[in-house]
Each structure stands twice: as structure tokens, then as C-alpha cells.
């Protein structure tokens, strides 16, 4: 596990976050908006296209052995119940990403949510009274307390990326999770992007046994 470049992916069918860290420093954080696609097959194809372009860009400068890809590990239980449809759909998305990496000679891993949050943020719980700074941040930006800690980390350590990439104008009538900027524009924080940034950084913060090869 000697890779110097890590592609971190927070995968979902709504919006997939993709970030790149090099030797422990975050260099790029983006997300792929999948809302305009109707079928999950179309969404997987869109993720594959964007990741393929990113991989080609990286491999023009690095050898495959210097690059790793890390996904968030699929949860086998949701609200204490086994969710078969969720596992099937996420397994298909993970396989799409893992196959793309395999085709390019890049090893793909997964990491548990609690592990990467603890290793990068310092704790895996939502913003609450035990973490008052994150709680204030959550309230200020009207964020889900579960998502606020990773966004706060990005703001504190990579403010330029946070400002230019994580804060997104909202064109729809959506109210939940939005806030009004100083310029009067309704915005939201792209939590998928923020999570992918921390997943990418986790490669350099966690012990190797925390990562499982995706085959």
C-alpha cells in the first residue's frame, strides 16, 4: 500500500463525490450530479465516464502502482434492517467503479464509514453538544448534523476548495439543507464532495487493515 495518489469516492445515485489527495494533501474535490439521468444504468455510465477521464489525467503523470482508489464500504444494514435492493444497487455501482480501476491497473479498496470519519475528522458521531463547533456550523449552514463534521473539516483545512467547490447555488425550490449567502443567493453545501475529500485523505491517515480490496 505504497500509493502516493488516492482517488476517494463517496458513491450514490443522487450525487457522487470524487476527490484526489496526493501524499496526504487534498488536491481536488468535485461531485457528479446524477439527478438528470432517469435510470440507474445511465447514472453508472455517467460516473464511469467522469472517473475514466480523471484516471486518464492522473495516469498521464503517474504509474498505476502509485494510485489507489477508495470507496465508502456498502452498509449491509439500514435502520437495523437488511436492505436487499440497496445492497444490489450499490453493489452494481461499486462494481462499475472497481472494474474501471482494474482496467487501468489501479487497486480499488473500500473503507468503513466510521473508520474514515474517526481517522480524518477525529470522531464519527453527528454534530452535537460534545462537538459544539460542528454543531454551530451545522446550524449556521442549515446542514444535516450527520454531514456537518466533514464539511467543517474542509472549510478549516482547505478553505479555497470549500468556497469554490463545496458551496453550490440552488436553482430549485428546495429549502431543506439550504442557506442564504451574504450576496442573497440560496445555496447548499455539497456534503458528498466533502465526504469524498475525507475518504481520499483517509488513505494517508488509517492503518492498512482498515482497507478492504474490492474485487
Amino acid at each position: 500500500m505504497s500509493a502516493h495518489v488516492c482517488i476517494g469516492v463517496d458513491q450514490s445515485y443522487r450525487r457522487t463525490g470524487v476527490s484526489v489527495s496526493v501524499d496526504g494533501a487534498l488536491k481536488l474535490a468535485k461531485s457528479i450530479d446524477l439527478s438528470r439521468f432517469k435510470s440507474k444504468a445511465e447514472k453508472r455510465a455517467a460516473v464511469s465516464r467522469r472517473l475514466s477521464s480523471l484516471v486518464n489525467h492522473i495516469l498521464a503523470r503517474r504509474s498505476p502502482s502509485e494510485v489507489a482508489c477508495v470507496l465508502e464500504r456498502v452498509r449491509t444494514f439500514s435502520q437495523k434492517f437488511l436492505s436487499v435492493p440497496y445492497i444490489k444497487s450499490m453493489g452494481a455501482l461499486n462494481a462499475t467503479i472497481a472494474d474501471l480501476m482494474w482496467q487501468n491497473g489501479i487497486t480499488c479498496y473500500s473503507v468503513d464509514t466510521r473508520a474514515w470519519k474517526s481517522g480524518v475528522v477525529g470522531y464519527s458521531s453527528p454534530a452535537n453538544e460534545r462537538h459544539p463547533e460542528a454543531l454551530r456550523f451545522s446550524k449556521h449552514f442549515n446542514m444535516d448534523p450527520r454531514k456537518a463534521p466533514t464539511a467543517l473539516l474542509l472549510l478549516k483545512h482547505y478553505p479555497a476548495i470549500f468556497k469554490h467547490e463545496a458551496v453550490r447555488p440552488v436553482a430549485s425550490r428546495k429549502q431543506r439543507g439550504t442557506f442564504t449567502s451574504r450576496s442573497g443567493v440560496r445555496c447548499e453545501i455539497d456534503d458528498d464532495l466533502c465526504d469524498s475529500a475525507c475518504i481520499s485523505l483517509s488513505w494517508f491517515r488509517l492503518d492498512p487493515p482498515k482497507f478492504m480490496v474490492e474485487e
Side-chain angles (χ1 to χ4, degrees), residues 70 190 213:
V70 177
D190 187 338
V213 175

Side-chain angles (χ1 to χ4, degrees), residues 136-153:
R136 289 193 299 270
F137 179 92
S138 173
K139 292 178 178 179
H140 179 77
F141 289 105
N142 193 27
M143 280 195 80
D144 183 336
R146 296 172 298 175
K147 300 295 186 178
T150 56
L152 175 59
L153 181 137

Side-chain angles (χ1 to χ4, degrees), residues 99-166:
D99 286 352
L100 171 65
M101 297 302 158
W102 175 80
Q103 290 162 9
N104 286 278
I106 296 172
T107 304
C108 188
Y109 302 86
S110 64
V111 63
D112 180 74
T113 303
R114 290 166 297 181
W116 70 254
K117 285 187 176 181
S118 296
V120 178
V121 178
Y123 55 93
S124 61
S125 62
N128 54 39
E129 289 75 12
R130 294 178 59 190
H131 308 288
E133 185 180 17
L135 185 59
R136 289 193 299 270
F137 179 92
S138 173
K139 292 178 178 179
H140 179 77
F141 289 105
N142 193 27
M143 280 195 80
D144 183 336
R146 296 172 298 175
K147 300 295 186 178
T150 56
L152 175 59
L153 181 137
L154 198 65
L155 172 62
K156 291 175 68 175
H157 297 283
Y158 299 95
I161 292 178
F162 178 86
K163 178 181 178 181
H164 296 294
E165 302 294 346

Side-chain angles (χ1 to χ4, degrees), residues 3 12-13 19 26 38 45 71 75 89 103-104 120-121 135 140 142-143 151-152 169 178 186 209:
S12 82
Y13 283 97
S19 295
L26 183 67
K38 294 182 179 180
L71 313 177
R75 298 186 302 274
S89 64
Q103 290 162 9
N104 286 278
V120 178
V121 178
L135 185 59
H140 179 77
N142 193 27
M143 280 195 80
L152 175 59
T178 67
R186 195 152 51 87

Side-chain angles (χ1 to χ4, degrees), residues 22-150:
V22 179
D23 292 326
L26 183 67
K27 298 298 183 182
L28 176 147
K30 301 282 186 179
S31 68
I32 307 167
D33 183 2
L34 302 170
S35 60
R36 66 187 179 92
F37 300 103
K38 294 182 179 180
S39 72
K40 289 183 176 179
E42 289 178 298
K43 295 181 180 188
R44 289 193 293 269
V47 170
S48 182
R49 287 193 300 271
R50 289 285 296 274
L51 279 176
S52 181
S53 177
L54 175 63
V55 166
N56 288 339
H57 178 78
I58 293 171
L59 294 183
R61 296 158 178 78
R62 300 274 187 164
S63 67
S65 63
E66 295 180 273
V67 185
C69 178
V70 177
L71 313 177
E72 184 169 52
R73 191 164 301 149
V74 173
R75 298 186 302 274
T76 54
F77 284 85
S78 178
Q79 303 298 321
K80 298 184 180 180
F81 292 97
L82 180 66
S83 176
V84 175
Y86 167 81
I87 292 173
K88 288 173 64 178
S89 64
M90 291 306 297
L93 181 55
N94 281 14
T96 296
I97 298 168
D99 286 352
L100 171 65
M101 297 302 158
W102 175 80
Q103 290 162 9
N104 286 278
I106 296 172
T107 304
C108 188
Y109 302 86
S110 64
V111 63
D112 180 74
T113 303
R114 290 166 297 181
W116 70 254
K117 285 187 176 181
S118 296
V120 178
V121 178
Y123 55 93
S124 61
S125 62
N128 54 39
E129 289 75 12
R130 294 178 59 190
H131 308 288
E133 185 180 17
L135 185 59
R136 289 193 299 270
F137 179 92
S138 173
K139 292 178 178 179
H140 179 77
F141 289 105
N142 193 27
M143 280 195 80
D144 183 336
R146 296 172 298 175
K147 300 295 186 178
T150 56

